[in-house]
Amino acid sequence: LSPQSEYIGSEFITWGWRKHESYQVNAVPLPSPSLSRLKALRKRAKVGKKIIFVGTEMSFLRLRIHSKPIGPDWLNYREQKVSFLSALSSIGYDNVYYRPGSRGTFRDYEFLQEVFPEISICNGSYKEFHRDLQSARLCIVDHPITTLHQVLAMNIPTVAYWNPNHWKLSRQSITFFSELEQVGILHHSGEQAGRFVSDNFDRIEEWWNADETQAARLRWCHVYARTSETWLRDWILALWFKKSNKSKKT
C-alpha cells in the first residue's frame, strides 16, 4: 500500500520511527511483538557455524510503487552476489546457506549453485528459516528487507550490502544507515562486503560486540526495530493512554 492509503488513519503504529519524508504521519512508536519474540529466542539459542545469506525475488515486473532494481539492474544485483561469494573463497563455503526470494524472472539459487556448488539452499518455511537464523553465526543481507530488522533486533552478527542507486532510503533514515556503514555493518558492493567478512571472519564476534558496533546497532533498532521484554505492557499502556485522551476530548 502507498503512504497515502496507509497514513489516513488517526494513528499509525511503527517500530520506532516518527517521520517519513513530508507525509503527515501521526506515528505511535511501539516495540514489535514479533521482533521481541525473535530476540528472546536468539538469547536462548546455541550459536552454530552457519552463515545465512538472504536474497530476494528478481523480477522485471514492478507490482507496487517502492524502491528496487529495475529491468537490467537485476543483472548487476546478481553479479554482486557472485562478487560477494567469490571474496569468501579463503574461508570456504561449507557453512554458507543461501535463502532465495520468491521465484521471479531470473534464475536465482539455481544459478548460484552452478557457480558455487558447495553452498547449501534454505528453501524451507519461514518457521524453519527463523530457526536457522536463531543459531546462525553470521547473517548476510543483500538488500533492505524485513530480515535486516529481524537479525539486528536479534543481535545476530550481520553484514549487509546493496547498491544505493537501486535501493533508495528516506532522508530521515540516512543518518542511521550511515552509522551502520561506519562500523562495517553496511557496505555498497558485494565485493566490499565479502572482503570485510573474509578479513574479519576469525574475529566476527569481537567486531560485533565492540562498543561502537553495538551502539550503531542499538540506535538503528530504536528507530526501526524496537523491542521490549515488556512489549505487551507497553502496548496496553499506550492504547489506554490514547483511549483516555479521546474520552477527555468527547
Side-chain angles (χ1 to χ4, degrees):
L1 295 176
S2 66
Q4 289 89 341
S5 60
E6 290 185 318
Y7 299 158
I8 61 175
S10 55
E11 277 93 20
F12 186 85
I13 294 175
T14 76
W15 306 148
W17 58 267
R18 293 180 179 275
K19 296 180 180 180
H20 180 194
E21 296 296 340
S22 59
Y23 296 109
Q24 296 298 313
V25 187
N26 193 6
V28 181
L30 286 171
S32 163
S34 175
L35 294 178
S36 299
R37 172 181 168 274
L38 289 173
K39 181 179 179 180
L41 291 173
R42 169 68 176 187
K43 286 182 177 180
R44 298 196 295 267
K46 182 179 179 181
V47 178
K49 298 181 179 180
K50 287 184 178 180
I51 302 172
I52 307 294
F53 184 9
V54 184
T56 190
E57 174 190 2
M58 295 186 290
S59 176
F60 267 121
L61 300 176
R62 186 182 284 269
L63 302 179
R64 60 179 180 173
I65 301 176
H66 67 299
S67 182
K68 62 183 291 189
I70 301 174
D73 291 342
W74 286 114
L75 296 176
N76 175 262
Y77 167 78
R78 190 163 69 176
E79 289 170 1
Q80 294 297 321
K81 291 181 192 288
V82 174
S83 296
F84 172 80
L85 289 169
S86 295
L88 298 188
S89 59
S90 62
I91 64 176
Y93 304 103
D94 291 343
N95 294 312
V96 176
Y97 290 74
Y98 180 67
R99 172 71 175 185
S102 303
R103 187 172 295 277
T105 306
F106 298 100
R107 294 162 66 243
D108 185 16
Y109 71 87
E110 302 95 337
F111 169 80
L112 286 181
Q113 279 199 310
E114 289 175 4
V115 183
F116 304 97
E118 304 97 327
I119 68 171
S120 301
I121 305 299
C122 298
N123 249 339
S125 65
Y126 280 112
K127 185 176 181 179
E128 293 170 323
F129 172 54
H130 288 155
R131 190 181 302 123
D132 285 334
L133 275 183
Q134 290 165 31
S135 61
R137 185 185 178 210
L138 176 65
C139 184
I140 310 299
V141 182
D142 67 5
H143 62 297
I145 190 181
T146 303
T147 303
L148 182 65
H149 298 253
Q150 293 171 336
V151 293
L152 290 182
M154 294 166 75
N155 199 16
I156 297 172
T158 301
V159 172
Y161 74 87
W162 57 77
N163 186 328
N165 294 319
H166 296 165
W167 311 89
K168 298 292 186 179
L169 301 173
S170 68
R171 288 173 296 169
Q172 290 81 7
S173 71
I174 289 176
T175 297
F176 300 99
F177 279 95
S178 294
E179 289 185 359
L180 297 185
E181 184 179 351
Q182 290 167 15
V183 298
I185 295 176
L186 178 61
H187 303 263
H188 291 321
S189 74
E191 181 182 5
Q192 183 187 56
R195 286 202 310 267
F196 180 86
V197 172
S198 182
D199 292 344
N200 294 277
F201 189 70
D202 292 334
R203 53 178 294 274
I204 281 293
E205 291 80 10
E206 179 185 346
W207 158 71
W208 185 253
N209 292 313
D211 291 344
E212 60 271 22
T213 307
Q214 284 295 304
R217 180 190 73 84
L218 288 170
R219 280 191 290 268
W220 191 93
C221 285
H222 186 69
V223 179
Y224 297 108
R226 191 173 299 184
T227 60
S228 172
E229 293 181 356
T230 60
W231 68 264
L232 182 57
R233 184 197 67 178
D234 298 341
W235 274 65
I236 291 173
L237 290 175
L239 296 176
W240 180 262
F241 179 77
K242 292 293 180 182
K243 180 181 178 182
S244 299
N245 278 352
K246 287 183 179 179
S247 297
K248 291 178 182 178
K249 294 178 181 179
T250 56

